Amino acid sequence: MRSSAKTLPLELHDVSLTAGGKRVIKDLSCRFTALAGCSVIIGPNGAGKSLLLKLCHGLITPDRGTVRWAGGADPGLRGKHQAMVLQRPVLLRRSVWANVAFALKSKKLPAAERGRRVDEALAQAGLSRYAQRPARLLSFGEQQRLALARAWVTRPELLLLDEPSANLDPAATHVIEEIIKEAAVQGTKVIMTTHDLHQARRLADEVLFLHRGRLKEQAPAAQFFAGPENDLAQAFLRGELLWWRRRSIYDPDEGRPDS
Ligand SMILES: Nc1ncnc2c1ncn2[C@@H]1O[C@H](COP(=O)(O)OP(=O)(O)OP(=O)(O)O)[C@@H](O)[C@H]1O
Ligand SMILES: [Mg+2]
């Protein structure tokens, strides 16, 4: 753990969020610490995984409950120490190189050092040969790698990744996972979502299982994958959780009016 933590622990207490007249995050409490390693959020489509990451990054604020970073709720401090890659990354209308360089703008580095870091980040993401290409001409998978390079180059204390390899081929997925592992080695806390349970097994130190806006289980990865306590999580791992069914036989919360 870094000695001067500015963002961790990250704590959500009784957080609820309404969108489109529907409660989409429900009474959610959890705590993220550097000691717990890489935290992987899993759950069916629409469970609230992306919303949870956005709450953690302060991109949205809850209707009820609190989000606190290192014991405080100061948005100014937070921005400098954490970075997020959205499920659909938004890139600047500039070159690939300039997109990464821009992320370092606030760091006030000498130009040569800034250039070295950008080159290194692009090499690590396998994008060196596209450096001078307009970022918007990259394929979707390449854009995803660029978005991760741009976030990681700032060496944040906390890195939030929403399905970082959803559109990537196996080699590119490997590149992404190597960056995530290096982040962990360098003391960056990673909180990410994935639909790839194999990836979750490879990367997770702890797992959070979300279902219809509720956090059903947060457990060390080894314990979770050996057999989760929650019935819905068990069904999800077996591939039996049917998100399109209005009422699930597994979920006691389903009868509630806001479910
Ligand atoms: N701005 C919004 N207005 C209305 N509903 C929203 C809004 N944002 C999200 N939702 C709803 O909240 C629920 C959770 O959305 P979220 O994007 O967090 O799901 P997810 O778990 O990330 O799903 P996926 O696996 O498909 O990425 C969904 O039912 C979604 O339709
Ligand atoms: Mg999502």
Side-chain angles (χ1 to χ4, degrees):
M1 192 174 8
R2 296 180 188 200
S3 52
S4 55
K6 298 284 191 304
T7 183
L8 297 171
L10 166 53
E11 293 162 303
L12 281 76
H13 182 68
D14 251 337
V15 165
S16 289
L17 185 72
T18 303
K22 213 178 132 220
R23 276 220 300 161
V24 284
I25 295 288
K26 301 165 188 166
D27 310 320
L28 195 152
S29 295
C30 62
R31 190 164 189 269
F32 296 100
T33 66
L35 284 177
C38 177
S39 301
V40 177
I41 303 166
I42 60 172
N45 289 137
K49 302 180 296 297
S50 296
L51 290 175
L52 175 55
L53 281 189
K54 286 177 185 168
L55 284 162
C56 288
H57 198 40
L59 287 178
I60 47 177
T61 46
D63 305 314
R64 263 201 357 238
T66 53
V67 182
R68 294 177 76 78
W69 296 265
D74 182 347
L77 266 184
R78 186 187 67 237
K80 288 192 196 137
H81 302 284
Q82 56 187 70
M84 179 166 174
V85 178
L86 296 168
Q87 194 165 357
R88 296 183 195 93
V90 182
L91 300 170
L92 301 174
R93 288 183 184 280
R94 299 182 186 186
S95 70
V96 167
W97 201 92
N99 263 270
V100 180
F102 187 79
L104 289 174
K105 212 173 162 200
S106 66
K107 296 276 179 194
K108 297 196 171 55
L109 296 167
E113 172 64 9
R114 193 160 74 116
R116 193 192 64 71
R117 287 204 199 179
V118 175
D119 290 343
E120 183 191 74
L122 290 179
Q124 206 177 6
L127 292 170
S128 299
R129 67 199 163 108
Y130 303 128
Q132 297 314 320
R133 205 181 268 193
R136 299 204 173 213
L137 294 187
L138 295 183
S139 75
F140 195 49
E142 289 159 353
Q143 290 191 12
Q144 259 185 312
R145 276 186 283 152
L146 174 56
L148 178 58
R150 190 175 62 176
W152 171 230
V153 77
T154 63
R155 297 296 184 268
E157 185 186 337
L158 172 62
L159 191 54
L160 300 147
L161 308 174
D162 201 355
E163 300 197 31
S165 58
N167 302 290
L168 301 186
D169 63 36
T173 298
H174 181 72
V175 165
I176 295 275
E177 292 188 4
E178 288 303 303
I179 294 176
I180 293 171
K181 284 181 198 159
E182 196 200 319
V185 167
Q186 292 203 19
T188 286
K189 165 78 183 178
V190 176
I191 307 175
M192 60 177 280
T193 68
T194 183
H195 281 289
D196 180 346
L197 290 177
H198 297 292
Q199 179 172 69
R201 284 175 193 267
R202 286 193 293 273
L203 295 177
D205 293 300
E206 72 166 351
V207 176
L208 288 88
F209 174 72
L210 243 65
H211 183 255
R212 297 198 176 171
R214 289 185 197 278
L215 178 61
K216 295 291 185 183
E217 190 160 345
Q218 179 173 11
Q223 188 181 316
F224 184 87
F225 287 118
E229 285 181 10
N230 182 266
D231 289 357
L232 289 155
Q234 288 169 13
F236 184 71
L237 288 190
R238 291 195 302 264
E240 291 172 7
L241 194 56
L242 307 179
W243 52 263
W244 59 87
R245 267 173 49 171
R246 186 72 193 95
R247 281 174 192 279
S248 163
I249 52 169
Y250 298 104
D251 193 350
D253 289 327
E254 286 302 289
R256 298 188 184 184
D258 58 10
S259 294

